[in-house]
């Protein structure tokens, strides 16, 4: 593999690994903040222990999210120097703002939150975790605005041999960026909701701290239900933006080869990229794709064959990732709806099968989040900035293949070790449960 | 003053802020394995830096991000030219960061030993390599029309290593004083005695560094042009001496204040000498990365100036507030009582 391929692989590895931990951080910070605020409002120790128990899991997860984030910021310069040079004038700004406005906030106040339980009033203390939640979510906003520039570049002119920023507000208020922000962040809330519901199910099944975990489950179910509905809706808006501004990505997502009007949705289809067609198309719902993409059931959608081959993204990966992600999105709505209903009727304990399903569903939102990034980033290929710069032109010129190969191997090795340790600890501390709470119940 | 010059100054300040702040927790991380004699003492040290290391490290992210936003060409070349060195720093910081969180999560002594080592190397390696990197930047990197001609091994030249040792020594001393302030009992005693014993070696290293700098680098040129600038390295030397004075007088807080200033002024002394270069070329002046050929557009710099002027002071204010709120010594009794401690 050449330097471009290795650098892409390394970026994929390090960013996808980073994004194992980020979504839970995004959502669980908010849930812990909700638990702690309920403690402040209701003055019930149960909620304090909930904030502490879920907070501990939050911290184990948070540690790896933070440190793997540094890699990403360094990597633009390390591996993608030509890209950084070409778009740094506009792309660097949101990253610097992210650090200054958001990352400081979350990193400073998380330390304070851990160490100040007995130093400040409980109201003040709950305020700290809200600041952390705000910081993590703002942090994601700026990163996603930066990413949105790579998808749909705005606010720049080509001058002095590079893309220079001329309109900061176009960058900051990019509708593409804000939809991406909503879609991505709220998908993190689903990860957290399913994490809390899954771990709670584990304990309810074993009749550990049942009251504690039923309350956790119920709050997470509401959180998950609202989030999964919003994610699907926002995803739909997102798709329209893609159809408008990234036609090659959209055609790959839906595996549309021929330009046509009134494009139907094939519930089952199997793309065959070598033949430039779908080998199977089954269960056709007329005009749905056109309607979703253009708001007009007879709207025209450009097929892949109308683009030169060197401008098309890998179809199979984009298509499959998109399909599975969407399917999972609907499953999330269904599961959280059932979960909320059973919580409300206080019938969780009797439905052991459902609890088991929820336990084993913990990985599903993680998978959906990863697939979403595959759609976004693989679907963007062959561009590093859509329509503006090709990925192969963005790579650093001074690196040797062996240098990148070695770093890739080391990243793989070290991340594997750390990932295993982190997941081991998450399992361990999830299973232990809120020990102090037992004492209180007794 | 142009925006590019303003950003040159801010760039220097951000890196200096990072070294001043992470400096003491890197130093404490290295010292932990020597000063603490048992698990509780180690935890005492970890808990003394526990609430702060993460917030300190964000200064690095911000310095990196600011380099990207304000001097994208410098960012691109600095990070790709120093690829291997930065990679090693990254792995150090990654392992170190998770170790604080993971170390106490399992009682197995081998588990703890692993994370003790990872805190040690994860603190040592960045401390030395950041010094090596900056030493080489002060000296200039071998850049010409064909690009970069250096390698990881070439970074380990005499002046690069000297700067690496200087950074390491400054951080160790700084970390020792921090532990004197934030701990009590045996750990504090040993930290006190370390700072005192280590002051003279540090002084000698700093002295050698100041002698070699005009010989190995071109940093002197700016000082010769504007002689009043010589006050900066002069204050550096005075801070270092004052820091030693207070350390020997058993006033570690004041000693720390002046070691803080020493590190700040060391970085600023170097950065002043660089201007208007961000990364000078050791081969041909024309290929130096300067504020003229590597900065962002006026518009971007203006936006970034506004952001920095609003938010950097806010960050400084709340970070100081957090330090004040969590002031006081970390006691072993408190660690045992507090279930949230590391």
């Amino acid at each position: 593999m050449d330097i471009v391929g290795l650098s892409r692989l390394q970026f994929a590895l390090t960013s996808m690994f980073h994004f194992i931990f980020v979504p839970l951080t995004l959502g669980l910070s908010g849930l812990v903040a909700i638990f702690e605020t309920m403690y402040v409002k209701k003055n019930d120790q149960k909620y304090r222990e909930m904030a502490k128990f879920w907070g501990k899991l939050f911290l184990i997860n948070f540690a790896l999210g933070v440190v793997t984030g540094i890699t990403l910021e360094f990597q633009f310069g390390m591996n993608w120097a030509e890209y950084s040079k070409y778009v740094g004038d506009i792309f660097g700004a949101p990253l610097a703002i992210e650090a200054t406005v958001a990352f400081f906030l979350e990193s400073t106040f998380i330390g304070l939150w851990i160490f100040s339980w007995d130093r400040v009033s409980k109201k003040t203390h709950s305020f700290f975790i809200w600041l952390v939640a705000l910081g993590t979510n703002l942090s994601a906003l700026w990163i996603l605005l930066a990413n949105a520039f790579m998808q749909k570049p705005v606010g720049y002119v080509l001058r002095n041999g590079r893309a220079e920023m001329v309109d900061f507000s176009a960058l900051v208020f990019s509708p593409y960026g804000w939809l991406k922000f909503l879609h991505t962040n709220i998908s993190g809330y689903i990860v957290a909701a399913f994490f809390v519901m899954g771990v709670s199910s584990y304990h309810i099944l074993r009749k550990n701290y049942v009251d504690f975990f039923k309350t956790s489950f119920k709050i997470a179910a509401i959180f998950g239900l609202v989030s999964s509905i919003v994610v699907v809706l926002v995803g739909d808006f997102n798709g329209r933006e893609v159809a408008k501004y990234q036609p090659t990505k959209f055609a790959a997502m839906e595996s549309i080869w021929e330009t046509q009007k009134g494009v139907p949705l094939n519930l089952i289809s199997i793309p065959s990229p070598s033949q430039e067609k779908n080998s199977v198309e089954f269960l056709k719902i007329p005009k749905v794709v056109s309607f979703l993409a253009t708001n007009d059931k007879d709207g025209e959608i450009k097929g892949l064959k109308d683009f030169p081959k060197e401008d098309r993204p890998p179809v199979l990966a984009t298509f499959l990732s998109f399909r599975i992600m969407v399917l999972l999105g609907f499953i999330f709505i269904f599961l959280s709806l059932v979960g909320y209903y059973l919580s409300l009727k206080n019938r969780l304990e009797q439905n052991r099968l459902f609890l088991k399903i929820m336990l084993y569903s913990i990985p599903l939102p993680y998978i959906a989040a990863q697939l979403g990034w595959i759609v976004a980033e693989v679907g963007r290929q062959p561009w590093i900035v859509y329509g503006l710069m090709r990925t192969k032109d963005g790579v650093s010129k001074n690196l040797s293949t062996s240098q990148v190969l070695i770093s890739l191997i080391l990243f793989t090795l070290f991340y594997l070790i750390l990932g295993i340790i982190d997941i081991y600890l998450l399992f361990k501390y999830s299973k232990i449960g809120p020990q102090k709470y037992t004492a209180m119940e007794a | 003053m142009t925006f590019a010059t303003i950003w040159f100054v801010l760039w220097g300040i951000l890196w200096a802020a990072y070294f001043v702040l992470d400096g003491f927790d890197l130093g404490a991380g290295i010292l932990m394995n020597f000063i603490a004699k048992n698990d509780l003492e180690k935890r005492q040290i970890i808990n003394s830096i526990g609430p702060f290391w993460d917030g300190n490290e964000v200064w690095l992210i911000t310095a990196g991000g600011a380099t990207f936003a304000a001097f994208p060409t410098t960012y691109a070349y600095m990070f790709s030219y120093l690829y291997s060195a930065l990679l090693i720093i990254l792995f150090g910081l990654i392992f170190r960061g998770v170790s604080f969180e993971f170390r106490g999560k399992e009682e197995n002594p081998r588990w703890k030993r692993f994370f003790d080592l990872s805190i040690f190397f994860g603190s040592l390696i960045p401390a030395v390599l950041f010094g090596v990197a900056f030493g080489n930047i002060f000296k200039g990197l071998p850049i010409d029309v064909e690009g970069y001609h250096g390698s990881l091994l070439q970074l380990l030249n005499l002046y690069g290593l000297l700067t690496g040792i200087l950074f390491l020594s400054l951080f160790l001393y700084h970390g020792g004083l921090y532990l004197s302030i934030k701990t009590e009992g045996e750990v504090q005693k040993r930290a006190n005695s370390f700072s005192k014993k280590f002051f003279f070696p540090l002084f000698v290293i700093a002295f050698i560094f100041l002698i070699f700098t005009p010989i190995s680098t071109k940093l002197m040129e700016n000082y010769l042009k504007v002689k009043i600038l010589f006050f900066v390295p002069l204050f550096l030397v005075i801070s270092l001496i004052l820091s030693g004075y207070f350390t020997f007088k058993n006033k570690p807080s004041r000693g720390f204040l002046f070691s803080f200033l020493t590190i700040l002024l060391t970085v600023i002394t170097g950065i002043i000498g660089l201007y208007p270069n961000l990364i000078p070329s050791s081969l041909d002046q024309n290929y130096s990365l300067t504020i003229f050929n590597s900065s962002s557009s006026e518009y971007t710099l203006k936006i970034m100036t506004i952001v920095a002027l609003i938010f950097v002071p806010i960050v400084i204010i709340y970070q100081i507030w957090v330090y004040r709120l969590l002031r006081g010594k970390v006691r072993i009794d408190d660690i045992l009582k507090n279930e949230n401690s590391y």
Side-chain angles (χ1 to χ4, degrees), chain A residues 52 73 85 89 407 428, chain B residues 61 75 77 83 297 300 339:
Chain A
K52 285 205 162 182
E73 198 211 40
K85 209 170 80 173
D89 193 276
S407 63
K428 177 179 166 181
Chain B
I61 311 288
Y75 167 78
Y77 291 142
Y83 190 88
S297 63
T300 300
E339 43 168 1

Side-chain angles (χ1 to χ4, degrees), chain A residues 155-349:
Chain A
Y156 72 98
V157 293
L158 294 179
R159 196 163 54 197
N160 303 320
R162 63 181 181 179
E164 292 193 348
M165 175 154 65
V166 287
D167 187 354
F168 181 61
S169 61
L171 181 77
V172 175
F173 300 109
S174 154
Y176 197 111
W178 279 84
L179 286 171
K180 205 170 175 56
F181 160 68
L182 290 174
H183 191 63
T184 312
N185 277 41
I186 299 173
S187 76
Y189 304 168
I190 302 177
V191 169
F194 274 68
F195 180 84
V196 172
M197 285 192 281
V199 173
S200 300
S201 299
Y202 172 87
H203 287 287
I204 299 170
L205 278 166
R206 275 162 192 73
K207 309 212 185 320
N208 299 334
Y209 327 102
V210 171
D211 173 51
F212 179 96
F213 282 110
K214 269 163 51 177
T215 312
S216 301
F217 190 107
K218 188 171 176 184
I219 297 169
I222 300 170
F223 197 64
L225 180 60
V226 176
S227 303
S228 43
I229 292 171
V230 176
V231 154
V232 171
L233 290 176
V234 174
D236 174 44
F237 285 113
N238 228 340
R240 273 177 223 182
E241 292 279 303
V242 173
K244 216 190 295 178
Y245 300 110
Q246 295 182 295
T248 49
K249 183 195 274 184
F250 189 80
M253 279 157 65
E254 300 286 359
S255 190
I256 298 165
W257 297 94
E258 312 284 344
T259 299
Q260 47 190 301
K261 288 182 175 160
V263 180
L265 174 69
N266 296 302
L267 283 180
I268 294 174
S269 72
I270 301 172
S272 170
S274 55
Q275 293 167 280
E276 302 196 321
K277 70 182 183 75
N278 297 330
S279 50
V280 177
E281 288 186 350
F282 189 55
L283 293 177
K284 207 170 282 234
I285 309 177
K287 302 189 188 227
V288 169
V289 171
S290 275
F291 180 71
L292 287 177
T294 62
N295 228 350
D296 167 11
K297 60 184 168 46
D298 294 313
E300 183 183 88
I301 293 176
K302 260 184 122 177
L304 286 161
K305 282 165 108 171
D306 272 8
F307 299 96
K309 270 192 176 159
E310 68 271 16
D311 288 353
R312 298 180 203 164
V315 177
L316 206 57
T318 313
F319 168 80
L320 282 177
S321 304
F322 179 64
R323 272 291 156 104
I324 300 170
M325 177 188 76
V326 171
L327 179 69
L328 285 170
F330 286 102
I331 291 176
F332 300 150
I333 296 181
F334 173 73
L335 288 177
S336 8
L337 192 64
V338 175
Y340 177 60
Y341 175 78
L342 292 176
S343 277
L344 206 62
K345 298 274 169 197
N346 199 9
R347 275 171 32 201
L348 275 174
E349 286 149 283

Side-chain angles (χ1 to χ4, degrees), chain A residues 105-165:
Chain A
L105 196 65
E106 67 176 292
S107 296
T108 307
F109 283 94
I110 193 67
L112 183 59
W113 184 74
I114 302 170
F115 285 88
S116 66
W117 280 94
D118 305 315
R119 283 189 187 240
V120 293
S121 74
K122 54 186 182 183
K123 200 168 175 183
T124 310
H125 192 264
S126 70
F127 180 61
F128 296 156
I129 190 71
W130 279 110
L131 286 179
V132 174
L134 176 71
T136 56
N137 280 277
L138 269 182
S139 173
L141 169 66
W142 288 101
I143 298 298
L144 291 164
L145 288 175
N147 180 267
F149 177 81
M150 303 169 86
Q151 312 288 351
K152 186 204 165 198
V154 290
Y156 72 98
V157 293
L158 294 179
R159 196 163 54 197
N160 303 320
R162 63 181 181 179
E164 292 193 348
M165 175 154 65

